[in-house]
Amino acid sequence: MKEYTFDDSTIMKAIDRAVCDAFGLVPEQLQTKTRSMKFVFPRQICMTLARELSALSYVAISNYYGKKDHCTTFHACTRINDLIKRNPNFANAYEKMREATGYSPILTRTF
């Protein structure tokens, strides 16, 4: 499993800030154990952005958000990517959150 680096931490904090600004949350709320959609949906967006903007694995992203299973991040990415394909309004909002992070998607991924 890939260890966190300073750059990973910086990217994750930028993602948290961008999504929290869009949803009116604070970053600590993204790591709460509650399953309320008020927190789950933004956390799923964060996980998807993390997968897109960093080289972190599903496991590392799940661990960052206090989840025990990599399947949580996999499910989040699947759900958000499906929503992007089906809903142009959400796709635009997602793009704005991605731009707000200040990072570009990585072009290659090593597994």
Side-chain angles (χ1 to χ4, degrees), residues 7-70:
D7 192 48
D8 294 332
S9 176
T10 304
I11 291 171
M12 297 305 287
K13 288 177 183 175
I15 290 168
D16 288 353
R17 273 192 307 274
V19 175
C20 284
D21 287 349
F23 283 90
L25 301 174
V26 295
E28 293 78 24
Q29 291 174 309
L30 295 173
Q31 297 183 358
T32 183
K33 292 185 185 257
T34 183
R35 293 184 182 180
S36 167
M37 283 307 288
K38 178 180 179 179
F39 306 118
V40 170
F41 186 62
R43 184 170 46 236
Q44 288 177 332
I45 293 170
C46 288
M47 290 177 170
T48 305
L49 284 168
R51 190 72 179 145
E52 186 176 338
L53 301 176
S54 77
L56 292 173
S57 67
Y58 288 121
V59 173
I61 295 167
S62 291
N63 289 341
Y64 178 83
Y65 289 104
K67 305 303 170 193
K68 296 177 183 167
D69 192 345
H70 72 280

Side-chain angles (χ1 to χ4, degrees), residues 49-92:
L49 284 168
R51 190 72 179 145
E52 186 176 338
L53 301 176
S54 77
L56 292 173
S57 67
Y58 288 121
V59 173
I61 295 167
S62 291
N63 289 341
Y64 178 83
Y65 289 104
K67 305 303 170 193
K68 296 177 183 167
D69 192 345
H70 72 280
C71 292
T72 304
T73 299
F74 181 79
H75 172 75
C77 292
T78 301
R79 182 169 187 257
I80 296 302
N81 286 321
D82 285 347
L83 189 55
I84 289 168
K85 291 175 188 172
R86 290 184 289 116
N87 186 329
N89 291 331
F90 176 73
N92 290 334

